Amino acid sequence: MTLRRLAWPVVVLVPVAFLGVFFLWPVANILVRGFTGERLWGLLRDAVFWRVLWFTVWQAAASTVLALVLALPGAHLLARFHFRGRSLLRALATVPFVMPTVVVAGAFTALFEQFGLNDGAFRMRHTVWALLAAHVFFNLAIVLRTVGSYWEGLDGRVEDQARLLGARPGQVFLRVTLPRLAPAVASAASVVFLFCFTSFGVILLLGGPTRATLETEIWRHAVWRGDMASASALAVVQLGAVMSLVLVSNFLQRRRGGREQTRLVSRPVPSRRLLGANLGLLLVALGLPMLVLVERSLATGYGYSLGNYRALTDRVTLLPVSAMTALGNSLLFAVVATALAVVVGGFASLVVVYGRRSLSHFFDFGMMLPLGVSAVTLGFGMLVALDAPPLDFRSWRWLVPVAHALIGIPFVLRTVVPTLRRIDPKVREAARLLGASSFQVGRLVDFPLAGRALAVGAAFAFAVSVGEFGATSFLPRHPDRLTAPLALFRLLGTPGDVLRGQAMALAVVLMVLTGLAVLVIEGRPRGRGVVRGDF
């Protein structure tokens, strides 16, 4: 029996067991609790539920429209023009997307304080405008990358012909360009809407007590009120809605891929006016909150210093451990979660690419399921399902990184699988003709080519874990295992200059960590291109 035959059952069973115990069982438990309880049907007669559902939907729709309108000029610049710093601009624009939601909330809290928007005629604090602004900041990169990459492949001569026939720039965009971009715009809009629909940390911190969505209501019923029946019923509704949105999003993404063109065109240099206007817009929308956050982290009562950063090692009464200890917990959990996501996601990728067709389709669909469930629902499911032998894991130290790994696995899968599929079969055949065994072909051909993709997937998993807040808010049962996002949430929710200064410093540290992950994702090693995931 060859080594491949010995290892293949392990490659198949490890992802199945991991997904079954830590994802399918908790989700099934929620469904059973939700459908067997009476509260689910009572929601249909509850006016508060319909008000919460309506707010969840319309704030997501408004955020999506604003993100599209503000990102399209930047997508046009990146797609149609060549200029120095273009790759850097694309990478910097991606940073907000991977930033922890509590850091985004901290950045806008600092922005409102700095510009006097906490009260008065132009109050932003605890208003829906704060939510919309934060969602635009968070999701602008999705539109820039999705629409920009599609726009880049469209033949620009069609627009040139329209101009030669006398069409004005506005007419060219509305009647020629926009219809051709429709698949990419629809795909990006569906993803942005999904993220805004499941937004949790931003709503909780910036919306205040009067702004509630399905996600925040699940958390409030489960954690504050201990009303598990209502939390389960709301989680069932949320699960159905998110699954439907994921199906729509996947359909639109496949539709975008089917119509995408790959024609390469030469890009002119943009005019200074066009470049300046776009950079100014992106600086205000993306750069200003981050700059103010850094400035506030350095501000003390007597000017500027590193005092807030040094204070991270001090334990304040509000927290069971110091912010630095919480940061250490987050880094430890992120390392473990990344290792789990790489192993499980890597094994699943091998099955998807090299497994039999039915098994490949099963893994391709099954390992993406965690993306179809919100982090809040996942954390709540673990809380209620993994509480009895033989699956009593609620006090297990590593349950938090397991939850983070479940969210990171789809990113590893969608990065590694396309790379493995792009490897020319002739390369493997040539290696076999030269006498290499199947194991040697995998070690010497597949792994070196897929290694870069695996590193990018690991960077995504690390960034997700470091900033994860939704699932984590349900799970830690021991105070000394507090993570940095939870510590930041408590610091931001408590008044006081000292606590606010520590919150700003901790937010900047988390922002830098996720920014480093973006450098790995967007990096271009010598002689290699940028790895593009299929998500």
Side-chain angles (χ1 to χ4, degrees):
M1 185 176 290
T2 64
L3 181 61
R4 184 179 186 277
R5 287 184 178 180
L6 284 172
W8 190 250
V10 177
V11 171
V12 174
L13 291 177
V14 167
V16 170
F18 192 81
L19 193 75
V21 172
F22 296 112
F23 176 74
L24 295 179
W25 172 244
V27 171
N29 201 287
I30 284 183
L31 290 175
V32 171
R33 284 171 178 261
F35 281 112
T36 56
E38 298 179 354
R39 190 68 185 101
L40 178 62
W41 314 116
L43 286 179
L44 302 177
R45 300 185 297 274
D46 190 340
V48 175
F49 163 73
W50 288 109
R51 193 161 57 244
V52 169
L53 180 61
W54 168 242
F55 180 74
T56 306
V57 172
W58 88 255
Q59 63 83 22
S63 301
T64 304
V65 171
L66 285 174
L68 285 172
V69 170
L70 291 176
L72 281 179
H76 173 249
L77 178 73
L78 292 172
R80 290 303 195 197
F81 297 96
H82 176 76
F83 53 93
R84 184 176 295 178
R86 180 171 171 271
S87 299
L88 178 63
L89 178 63
R90 186 194 295 268
L92 291 177
T94 306
V95 172
F97 175 62
V98 298
M99 281 174 62
T101 54
V102 285
V103 174
V104 174
F108 276 87
T109 299
L111 188 71
F112 298 157
E113 289 178 353
Q114 184 69 4
F115 290 94
L117 300 175
N118 277 340
D119 46 35
F122 298 99
R123 183 173 72 91
M124 291 283 286
R125 182 172 179 264
H126 290 176
T127 66
V128 70
W129 300 110
L131 305 181
L132 299 183
H135 284 163
V136 169
F137 171 85
F138 202 65
N139 294 295
L140 215 59
I142 296 174
V143 184
L144 282 176
R145 297 178 72 92
T146 305
V147 178
S149 61
Y150 188 85
W151 204 335
E152 201 172 345
L154 294 180
D155 190 347
R157 290 178 300 180
V158 179
E159 280 86 355
D160 294 338
Q161 291 169 357
R163 292 188 195 95
L164 286 175
L165 293 173
R168 293 189 294 272
Q171 291 175 315
V172 172
F173 177 75
L174 292 176
R175 296 183 179 181
V176 180
T177 306
L178 193 57
R180 299 171 72 204
L181 286 175
V185 171
S187 174
S190 66
V191 176
V192 173
F193 184 87
L194 175 62
F195 283 142
C196 296
F197 189 87
T198 56
S199 178
F200 177 60
V202 166
I203 302 285
L204 208 58
L205 280 163
L206 294 180
T210 60
R211 311 286 174 186
T213 62
L214 288 177
E215 293 280 286
T216 59
E217 282 302 283
I218 293 171
W219 181 79
R220 287 190 174 112
H221 278 89
V223 177
W224 277 14
R225 302 171 188 171
D227 183 0
M228 296 300 178
S230 296
S232 299
L234 289 167
V236 168
V237 174
Q238 177 74 336
L239 191 62
V242 173
M243 282 291 187
S244 303
L245 290 172
V246 169
L247 290 176
V248 172
S249 176
N250 288 343
F251 169 75
L252 293 173
Q253 286 190 23
R254 286 196 298 271
R255 187 163 168 258
R256 181 197 66 179
R259 294 188 179 186
E260 191 170 352
Q261 301 178 27
T262 56
R263 181 180 179 81
L264 296 177
V265 296
S266 59
R267 302 188 192 94
V269 176
S271 66
R272 290 186 176 181
R273 185 177 178 184
L274 178 65
L275 183 61
N278 274 280
L279 291 180
L281 179 62
L282 292 176
L283 179 65
V284 172
L286 302 180
L288 189 60
M290 290 190 281
L291 291 174
V292 172
L293 179 63
V294 174
E295 189 271 340
R296 287 291 86 194
S297 73
L298 296 170
T300 60
Y302 307 98
Y304 294 101
S305 73
L306 296 175
N308 291 327
Y309 290 90
R310 287 192 290 268
L312 292 178
T313 59
D314 300 334
R315 178 182 172 275
V316 296
T317 308
L318 180 68
L319 302 177
V321 296
S322 70
M324 189 59 73
T325 302
L327 184 62
N329 288 336
S330 286
L331 290 175
L332 175 62
F333 289 162
V335 170
V336 176
T338 303
L340 288 172
V342 167
V343 172
V344 178
F347 283 180
S349 300
L350 293 175
V351 178
V352 171
V353 176
Y354 303 119
R356 293 181 179 177
R357 187 173 180 180
S358 57
L359 192 63
S360 171
H361 288 175
F362 173 75
F363 268 67
D364 200 16
F365 174 76
M367 300 309 290
M368 293 300 293
L369 282 177
L371 276 190
V373 176
S374 72
V376 167
T377 304
L378 177 62
F380 178 55
M382 286 182 152
L383 179 72
V384 299
L386 303 178
D387 64 340
L391 300 177
D392 187 5
F393 293 118
R394 285 205 301 180
S395 59
W396 189 36
R397 180 183 183 87
W398 307 112
L399 188 58
V400 171
V402 164
H404 294 179
L406 283 168
I407 304 170
I409 285 171
F411 290 97
V412 175
L413 193 77
R414 280 292 171 260
T415 308
V416 176
V417 167
T419 303
L420 287 176
R421 283 176 170 163
R422 281 196 289 267
I423 296 176
D424 191 346
K426 294 178 180 177
V427 178
R428 296 194 187 96
E429 293 174 8
R432 291 193 185 94
L433 287 175
L434 293 173
S437 64
S438 297
F439 176 77
Q440 288 173 318
V441 171
R443 183 172 64 86
L444 299 175
V445 177
D446 293 342
F447 185 75
L449 292 175
R452 167 69 183 146
L454 203 60
V456 170
F460 267 118
F462 182 84
V464 167
S465 177
V466 164
E468 211 291 319
F469 176 66
T472 314
S473 62
F474 286 87
L475 296 179
R477 315 309 298 172
H478 296 278
D480 60 340
R481 299 175 194 167
L482 189 74
T483 63
L486 289 181
L488 181 56
F489 171 70
R490 295 187 187 184
L491 290 171
L492 286 173
T494 308
D497 292 339
V498 175
L499 298 181
R500 187 53 54 89
Q502 283 197 32
M504 297 296 116
L506 184 58
V508 170
V509 173
L510 288 172
M511 183 174 71
V512 171
L513 288 173
T514 50
L516 292 175
V518 171
L519 289 180
V520 175
I521 294 166
E522 290 290 326
R524 192 190 296 266
R526 185 177 299 174
R528 300 182 184 181
V530 176
V531 174
R532 299 296 183 199
D534 187 19
F535 50 83

